Amino acid sequence: MHLSFSAYYTLIFAVLVLLLGKLLTRHIRFLRDFNIPEPVSGGLVVAAVIFALHQLTGLTLAFATAMQTSFMLVFFSSIGLSANFAKLREGGMGLVLFLGVIAAFIFVQNGVGVGLATLLGLDPLIGLVAGSITLLGGHGTAGAWGSVLENQYGLSGATALGIACATFGLVIGGLLGGPLAKRLITRHQLAQPRSMATPTASNAGSASDGKEPANFETPNTAPRLITAEAAIETLALFAGCLAFAEFMTSATQGTKLQLPTFVWALGGGVVIRNVLDYGFGFKVFDRAIDVFGNAGLSIYLAIALLSLKLWELADLAGPLMIILAVQTITLALFAAFITFRIMGRNYDAAVLAAGHCGFGMGATPTAVANMQAITSQYGPSHKAFLIVPLVGAFFIDIINAFVLQLMIAWLR
C-alpha cells in the first residue's frame, strides 16, 4: 500500500508536526531541559506512528520533498548572513584558539566514527554520520548531509540515521558538560561555590536550535521591528544566497571545487554579509535573518521527519550505539585534557570545556545551558559566554562543512 501527498498537504502535515512538538515541549520537562527542538520532538512521535502503520499494515506514506531543499538552503544561508567577521576581532585570540581546538576535534570525532564503522563492517560514511555531521553539526546539518549521502553516494537511510544520532547527541551533550566542568573546577581548585546563584548579564544569549545564528544586535538600542519592508529586504538577501548557490553548484559540477549546494548557500551568505558591511556600510538586520532561518529549519526538519523510514535502521541499532558510546567517551577526554589545557587551565577554560561538551555532541543552546549551570554556582565567565555562542552559532559550521567535504572525497 502506498499513499502520496502533494506539496500543499505536505506543508499542512509539517505545520501539524511543529504544533505537536510545541505542545509536547510545553508539557514534558525532559524535552525542555535537554533543548530538544520542537520539530524533532513532534516529528519523532509522528515518525513512530508511521513506522507502526507500516509494520502493521504495510502502508507507506510519501510526502513531497521538493520544497524541503529550499527551506534547508534558507537555513544555511541564514548562518552565512550572520557571519560578521568583526566578531572575530571582538573575540580576540581566545576565539581563534578555541576555533583551532574545535577544528582539531572535528578530525578526531570523524576519525573515531570512521574507524569504528570500518571495524564493525559498516560503510565508513556511516562513521561520518555518527561523527561531526550530526554530533557537532546538529539536526540541520544531519538532514543536509543525509540527503547528499543518499542521493550522491547511495547510503540508504542516512537522513533517518542522522536525525537519531543528532537527538542522542543533544541529550548526552546536556548531561556531560556540567559534571565534567565541576570536576575540573574542584580538582584544580579554580573557584569556590557561591552561596546564592545570581543571574548575570554574561549568562544571557542563546539560539532557538543548535545551529541557528545568534542575535548579536546591541542590547541597549530599541529593537527594530520586522516590518513588511524589513521582510522584503531580508528576502532579497536570501534570494542572493540561493542564486549564488545555484550558480556555483552548476559552474563547479564535475570539478575539484564541487561542493554540496547548501555549502555554497552558506558561503554566499558570508560573502554577501561582509561585502555589505565593509563595502557599503549597510546594516544587515540580524534578528530578521534569525527569524527566517529558524522558520526554514523548523519546516525543513518537520518534512524530513515525516519522510523518515525507521524500518531502514533496524540492522544498525547495535553498531550505532557502540559508536555513539565511544564518541561520548572521546568528547569527555578531549574536553578535559585538550580543551581545558589549551584554553589556559583556569576557571574560564573549565566553563569553555562545558560549552564544548554542549555543542560537541549537541547544540549551541545546550552549550549555553551547560555553562549557565556552572556559572550560576561558581560565578560568571565573560570570556566563555562571548566565545562559545560565536563559535557554535556559525564559524564552526563553515569549518565543519569543508572538513566533511575533504573526508568524503578521501573515503570515496
Side-chain angles (χ1 to χ4, degrees):
M1 297 174 61
H2 185 81
L3 186 59
S4 298
F5 295 95
S6 68
Y8 298 119
Y9 287 102
T10 298
L11 187 58
I12 291 172
F13 278 113
V15 172
L16 292 176
V17 166
L18 296 178
L19 293 175
L20 175 61
K22 184 175 182 179
L23 181 67
L24 292 172
T25 303
R26 182 185 302 165
H27 290 93
I28 301 176
R29 183 175 178 179
F30 170 83
L31 300 176
R32 296 193 303 273
D33 289 347
F34 291 103
N35 299 289
I36 306 298
E38 292 172 0
V40 175
S41 55
L44 288 177
V45 171
V46 174
V49 171
I50 293 174
F51 173 75
L53 284 173
H54 178 269
Q55 296 299 101
L56 294 174
T57 67
L59 177 64
T60 300
L61 303 181
F63 296 92
T65 57
M67 58 182 173
Q68 181 181 345
T69 301
S70 299
F71 285 117
M72 177 190 69
L73 295 178
V74 166
F75 165 61
F76 280 98
S77 297
S78 71
I79 295 176
L81 288 170
S82 299
N84 184 349
F85 288 146
K87 297 298 176 182
L88 278 172
R89 293 199 302 270
E90 185 178 335
M93 281 304 299
L95 174 60
V96 176
L97 191 60
F98 192 64
L99 264 175
V101 170
I102 302 303
F105 178 70
I106 293 176
F107 286 98
V108 172
Q109 194 171 61
N110 286 328
V112 169
V114 170
L116 286 174
T118 303
L119 287 174
L120 293 170
L122 304 176
D123 189 322
L125 292 179
I126 291 178
L128 293 182
V129 175
S132 73
I133 286 179
T134 60
L135 301 180
L136 190 136
H139 287 87
T141 306
W145 279 107
S147 61
V148 171
L149 294 177
E150 287 174 350
N151 298 329
Q152 295 185 20
Y153 299 96
L155 185 62
S156 178
T159 301
L161 185 67
I163 296 294
C165 291
T167 303
F168 173 90
L170 277 175
V171 176
I172 296 301
L175 290 172
L176 186 62
L180 183 141
K182 187 171 183 178
R183 176 175 173 80
L184 290 173
I185 292 169
T186 303
R187 180 179 180 182
H188 298 280
Q189 300 180 342
L190 303 175
Q192 295 296 323
R194 299 190 300 182
S195 58
M196 179 179 289
T198 305
T200 65
S202 66
N203 291 357
S206 68
S208 64
D209 183 72
K211 307 301 165 188
E212 290 90 331
N215 181 8
F216 295 112
E217 294 185 65
T218 305
N220 295 326
T221 60
R224 181 181 172 187
L225 299 177
I226 303 178
T227 61
E229 180 181 356
I232 292 171
E233 175 186 292
T234 305
L235 279 174
L237 296 177
F238 279 103
C241 294
L242 299 184
F244 177 82
E246 183 180 49
F247 172 79
M248 292 304 297
T249 299
S250 177
T252 60
Q253 191 168 7
T255 70
K256 292 184 178 181
L257 293 177
Q258 182 176 345
L259 296 171
T261 305
F262 75 88
V263 178
W264 288 120
L266 190 155
V270 174
V271 173
I272 291 173
R273 169 62 187 262
N274 289 281
V275 167
L276 290 175
D277 275 349
Y278 299 109
F280 299 94
F282 178 82
K283 183 173 177 57
V284 174
F285 192 1
D286 284 318
R287 190 154 44 85
I289 290 170
D290 228 1
V291 169
F292 279 79
N294 293 343
L297 178 65
S298 294
I299 297 173
Y300 165 70
L301 283 176
I303 297 174
L305 286 159
L306 281 170
S307 305
L308 286 185
K309 295 179 175 61
L310 294 177
W311 51 90
E312 295 179 351
L313 297 181
D315 295 335
L316 292 175
L320 185 62
M321 290 309 300
I322 293 174
I323 296 174
L324 293 176
V326 176
Q327 290 284 26
T328 302
I329 297 171
T330 301
L331 173 61
L333 294 174
F334 192 98
F337 293 101
I338 305 297
T339 306
F340 175 67
R341 293 172 184 270
I342 290 180
M343 296 310 298
R345 294 171 60 94
N346 52 24
Y347 176 65
D348 286 329
V351 180
L352 283 168
H356 181 188
C357 291
F359 70 76
M361 282 194 77
T364 304
T366 307
V368 172
N370 284 350
M371 295 191 300
Q372 284 176 332
I374 294 299
T375 56
S376 65
Q377 184 176 0
Y378 291 98
S381 171
H382 301 283
K383 180 179 180 180
F385 275 90
L386 172 65
I387 290 175
V388 168
L390 283 171
V391 173
F394 41 74
F395 288 120
I396 198 59
D397 284 300
I398 299 172
I399 298 173
N400 193 25
F402 285 100
V403 170
L404 285 169
Q405 185 68 21
L406 288 173
M407 296 200 73
I408 290 174
W410 173 62
L411 290 174
R412 284 292 184 265

